[in-house]
Amino acid sequence: MVMGLCLFALGVAAALTIYRMAAGPTMLDRVIAMDVLVAIVVCGLGVEAAFNRHATTLPILVVLSLVGFVGSVSVARFAARDRT
Amino acid sequence: MSAGGIADAVGAAALLGGALLSLLASIGLLRFPDVLSRMHAATKPQVLGLLLVLLGVGLRLRSSIDVGTLLVVAVFQMLTTPVAAHMVGRAAYRTGNVSGDALAFDELTDGLAGDGPGDPSARMR
């Protein structure tokens, strides 16, 4: 019951975030939406691991929290370079 | 109610709180008008929501190695999120996505023009 509620909230959140990622309007909005989507995926994996009481997906959380910021940093660098 | 039952209930509440925070942040992401206010909304699931979810996972799994892994996740997330936010905010300012009339103080424009305290040519581009 609680797990369904959590996953429903995370699903709606992911859908709205993907809409923002598609709509833009600037590249930076898409980058922010991508960061949020990574956080939502981490939350979803954590919720599933918590309610089913297994630790199989915990290494995925480590990897996502480590490399999730690389994409947004590199896109932000190129977006800042456009003007100068 | 046993200690394990209490931990399970608190963990479920924390997980629900984290999920609802993610939902709120995505609504803010959808409705807020510009890049900086969207960044403001985006930090909620990235730090507080994620920490709540990790707290919930730790309270329900309750083995020391799993809690250690979750601590590593929390530390890495709190190390990397400010880096990304700094770079995105910097890019937003330099591409003209920050409107100056909404700011009470704006020392960065003077700094970028070269007559401020920091010479922009010495900065990282």
Side-chain angles (χ1 to χ4, degrees), chain B residues 31-56:
Chain B
R31 293 187 55 88
F32 280 170
D34 60 352
V35 172
L36 288 191
S37 52
R38 281 175 191 150
M39 280 177 70
H40 157 71
T43 49
K44 267 70 202 174
Q46 282 180 333
V47 180
L48 183 56
L50 195 73
L51 289 186
L52 275 177
V53 167
L54 295 179
L55 176 72

Side-chain angles (χ1 to χ4, degrees), chain A residues 11-48:
Chain A
V12 175
L16 296 179
T17 309
I18 289 174
Y19 174 77
R20 173 54 65 199
M21 200 190 294
T26 70
M27 196 53 72
L28 295 170
D29 294 311
R30 297 189 172 96
V31 166
I32 295 167
M34 193 179 71
D35 276 348
V36 174
L37 194 63
V38 170
I40 289 173
V41 167
V42 171
C43 287
L45 287 173
V47 165
E48 192 268 333

Side-chain angles (χ1 to χ4, degrees), chain A residues 20 29 35 53 77 83, chain B residues 8 30 60 94 125:
Chain A
R20 173 54 65 199
D29 294 311
D35 276 348
R53 292 190 197 282
R77 283 304 293 261
R83 190 157 158 254
Chain B
D8 277 356
L30 200 65
R60 289 182 75 90
R94 295 190 180 214
R125 285 192 187 277

Side-chain angles (χ1 to χ4, degrees), chain A residues 26-29 31-32 71-84, chain B residues 35-36 39 83-98 108 112 124-125:
Chain A
T26 70
M27 196 53 72
L28 295 170
D29 294 311
V31 166
I32 295 167
S72 57
V73 167
S74 42
V75 172
R77 283 304 293 261
F78 281 110
R81 194 174 291 176
D82 276 350
R83 190 157 158 254
T84 52
Chain B
V35 172
L36 288 191
M39 280 177 70
V83 178
H86 169 77
M87 294 304 291
V88 171
R90 179 179 174 277
Y93 193 91
R94 295 190 180 214
T95 50
N97 283 311
V98 178
L108 185 55
L112 287 177
M124 173 179 73
R125 285 192 187 277

Side-chain angles (χ1 to χ4, degrees), chain A residues 3 7 10 42-54 57, chain B residues 15 57:
Chain A
M3 180 187 176
L7 290 182
L10 288 172
V42 171
C43 287
L45 287 173
V47 165
E48 192 268 333
F51 283 104
N52 293 331
R53 292 190 197 282
H54 65 79
T57 49
Chain B
L15 289 165
V57 178

Side-chain angles (χ1 to χ4, degrees), chain B residues 5-7 11 15 21 23 31 33-34 36-37 40 43 62 66 69-70 77 81 87 90 92 94 105 111 113 123:
Chain B
I6 294 174
L15 289 165
L21 217 52
L23 181 59
R31 293 187 55 88
D34 60 352
L36 288 191
S37 52
H40 157 71
T43 49
R62 296 198 288 274
D66 294 339
T69 310
L70 295 171
Q77 181 74 15
T81 302
M87 294 304 291
R90 179 179 174 277
R94 295 190 180 214
F105 291 102
R123 301 265 176 82

